[in-house]
């Protein structure tokens, strides 16, 4: 299975453009009080420019989703919502993780077009007008893709690219070098609403929707302020979610491992028999006990762990617990129709 290949739009002879949409920017936030003032300043200016250029219709807004922050993030969001009509906020009752916070924003806020991005200003805001151009030319989903990873460390760059290729090899449809900076039309959002995944991996879920897609490339900037909310542990957890949520290939590997262990056991038995018959170096009982015990014990534990991971997903999915709870909202975008 190859990586997702989006439609390539030809703007030399564009079709009739769609009217300017109501644009909603969705930004999950977790302890982002250090970067939020600059993010708000830039986004408010961007929204004014988009409306002035006719790319966004009146009513477009910025929606911060506070994912249970423990600092002053929600206080700042409420202040900005009172100061700027274009700023709105959604507060979750507790920390639910980046993917659930992002899903909450996508399924809650209004708008003809929803653009998700991070609050740390690493996503290039100048890519948003180009994403809107692609939407107006016919795309329902527009992926913002990093043009390079030169700023990443060697480990992060190689591991990330290897992971995307691994997902494609396992049959998971993904857009290479794409995170969660994307545009989705209202029809794509309503289709996404029908998916009730407990363990979210939106990078793999969105391509399942189909629809016409396109790509916009951008240069990812360094974080403006604060620290990353995705340490190695969370990155590995998200990577594992991507594998186990979209493919049963690890379970099939267990079958292959069982066949290999059986073959290895036969070869080991032949070797031990040869040592016993043709040499005087055999240690009684060692080869027939120690090697198979360690080999089979390790394979069994690994296999049980993989099977247990899938069973845990089934168990948690059958409970059908809510993925998030909204504690409060603020801003004019919710005055008429609250979630």
């Amino acid at each position: 299975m190859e990586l997702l290949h989006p439609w390539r739009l030809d703007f030399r002879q564009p079709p009739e453009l769609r009217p300017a949409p109501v644009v909603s920017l969705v930004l999950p936030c977790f302890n982002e009080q250090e970067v939020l003032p600059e993010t708000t300043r830039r986004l408010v200016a961007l929204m004014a420019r988009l409306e002035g250029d006719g790319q966004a219709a009146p009513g477009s807004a910025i929606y911060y989703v506070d994912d249970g922050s423990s600092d002053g993030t929600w206080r700042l969001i409420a202040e900005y919502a009172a100061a700027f009509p274009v700023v709105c906020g959604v507060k979750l009752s507790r920390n639910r993780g980046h993917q659930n916070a992002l899903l909450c924003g996508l399924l809650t806020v209004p708008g003809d077009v929803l653009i998700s991005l991070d609050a740390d200003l690493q996503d290039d805001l100048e890519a948003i007008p180009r994403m809107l151009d692609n939407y107006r030319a016919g795309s329902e989903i527009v992926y913002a893709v990093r043009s390079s990873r030169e700023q990443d460390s060697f480990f992060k760059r190689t591991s990330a690219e290897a992971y995307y290729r691994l997902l494609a090899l396992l049959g998971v449809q993904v857009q290479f070098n794409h995170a969660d900076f994307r545009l989705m039309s209202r029809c794509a959002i309503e289709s996404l609403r029908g998916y009730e995944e407990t363990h979210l991996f939106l990078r793999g879920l969105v391509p399942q929707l189909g629809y016409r897609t396109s790509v916009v490339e951008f240069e990812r900037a360094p974080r403006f302020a604060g620290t990353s909310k995705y340490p190695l542990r969370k990155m590995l957890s998200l990577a594992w979610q991507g594998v186990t949520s979209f493919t049963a290939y690890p379970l099939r590997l267990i079958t292959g491992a069982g066949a290999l262990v059986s073959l290895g056991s036969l070869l080991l038995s032949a070797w031990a028999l040869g040592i016993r018959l043709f040499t005087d170096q055999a240690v009684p009982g060692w080869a027939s006990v120690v090697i198979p015990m360690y080999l089979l014990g390790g394979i069994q534990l690994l296999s049980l762990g993989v099977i247990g991971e899938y069973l845990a997903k089934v168990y948690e999915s059958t409970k059908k617990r809510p993925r998030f709870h909204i504690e409060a909202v603020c801003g004019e975008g919710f005055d008429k129709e609250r979630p």
Side-chain angles (χ1 to χ4, degrees):
M1 178 66 69
E2 296 182 355
L3 296 176
L4 178 64
H5 291 285
W7 291 84
R8 301 294 180 179
L9 299 178
D10 186 358
F11 291 101
R12 291 174 295 181
Q13 293 180 339
E16 183 178 354
L17 295 179
R18 296 172 173 176
V22 175
V23 179
S24 296
L25 304 182
V26 180
L27 297 90
C29 302
F30 179 66
N31 293 343
E32 297 287 6
Q33 67 174 7
E34 295 181 49
V35 73
L36 213 55
E38 179 64 16
T39 301
T40 302
R41 184 188 69 80
R42 295 190 191 184
L43 289 180
V44 168
L46 173 67
M47 296 302 284
R49 176 156 60 91
L50 291 177
E51 289 195 30
D53 294 342
Q55 289 186 289
S60 299
I62 304 159
Y63 293 86
Y64 291 118
V65 182
D66 180 19
D67 185 23
S69 298
S70 57
D71 62 359
T73 296
W74 178 249
R75 175 182 56 80
L76 287 176
I77 292 174
E79 291 178 0
Y80 295 142
F84 303 103
V86 74
V87 176
C88 305
V90 179
K91 178 177 173 58
L92 301 188
S93 60
R94 59 180 289 263
N95 180 256
R96 298 296 302 176
H98 176 270
Q99 295 289 283
N100 280 307
L102 176 55
L103 183 71
C104 170
L106 295 177
L107 301 186
T108 300
V109 308
D112 302 321
V113 163
L114 276 65
I115 300 177
S116 59
L117 65 158
D118 291 336
D120 56 15
L121 293 177
Q122 290 191 276
D123 296 330
D124 184 9
L125 301 186
E126 295 305 314
I128 292 178
R130 289 182 283 139
M131 297 167 76
L132 290 171
D133 288 339
N134 283 20
Y135 164 77
R136 297 186 67 189
S139 293
E140 302 294 340
I141 300 172
V142 182
Y143 299 105
V145 174
R146 297 177 63 166
S147 57
S148 68
R149 286 184 171 269
E150 296 301 324
Q151 293 183 351
D152 290 346
S153 65
F154 175 79
F155 171 76
K156 185 173 183 179
R157 179 171 62 253
T158 54
S159 61
E161 292 181 351
Y163 175 65
Y164 281 112
R165 298 187 190 282
L166 174 63
L167 287 180
L169 182 64
L170 296 179
V172 182
Q173 196 177 25
V174 291
Q175 175 61 50
F176 189 72
N177 269 344
H178 165 70
D180 290 302
F181 187 17
R182 72 177 71 88
L183 176 150
M184 298 181 68
S185 68
R186 175 51 58 183
C187 70
I189 292 295
E190 293 307 313
S191 297
L192 180 64
R193 197 182 300 275
Y195 289 78
E196 299 181 356
E197 311 276 330
T198 301
H199 301 274
L200 286 173
F201 184 67
L202 290 171
R203 302 174 199 184
L205 198 59
V206 172
Q208 304 293 317
L209 303 178
Y211 297 113
R212 191 177 187 183
T213 65
S214 60
V215 161
V216 166
E217 293 187 345
F218 74 100
E219 289 284 346
R220 190 166 173 84
R223 168 178 272 273
F224 181 81
T227 58
S228 173
K229 306 307 183 297
Y230 255 98
L232 181 61
R233 176 181 59 83
K234 287 189 177 181
M235 291 177 63
L236 292 176
S237 176
L238 182 64
W240 182 242
Q241 293 287 5
V243 172
T244 56
S245 295
F246 289 93
T247 178
Y249 194 80
L251 294 176
R252 300 189 182 101
L253 285 179
I254 293 176
T255 303
L260 289 176
V261 169
S262 299
L263 177 61
S265 299
L266 291 176
L267 295 176
L268 182 63
S269 300
W271 173 78
L273 182 61
I275 293 294
R276 178 69 179 85
L277 294 178
F278 302 109
T279 72
D280 57 357
Q281 300 177 359
V283 177
W286 182 85
S288 61
V289 175
V290 176
I291 296 179
M293 180 179 67
Y294 279 100
L295 182 62
L296 291 174
I299 294 294
Q300 287 173 346
L301 289 175
L302 176 63
S303 302
L304 286 174
V306 174
I307 294 173
E309 178 70 20
Y310 279 92
L311 288 177
K313 288 182 179 294
V314 174
Y315 168 67
E316 294 179 7
S317 297
T318 56
K319 292 186 288 188
K320 295 184 178 180
R321 293 178 177 175
R323 290 169 289 191
F324 52 82
H325 293 287
I326 296 177
E327 179 179 330
V329 296
C330 61
E332 294 185 5
F334 291 126
D335 285 348
K336 295 181 179 179
E337 186 175 342
R338 292 179 178 269

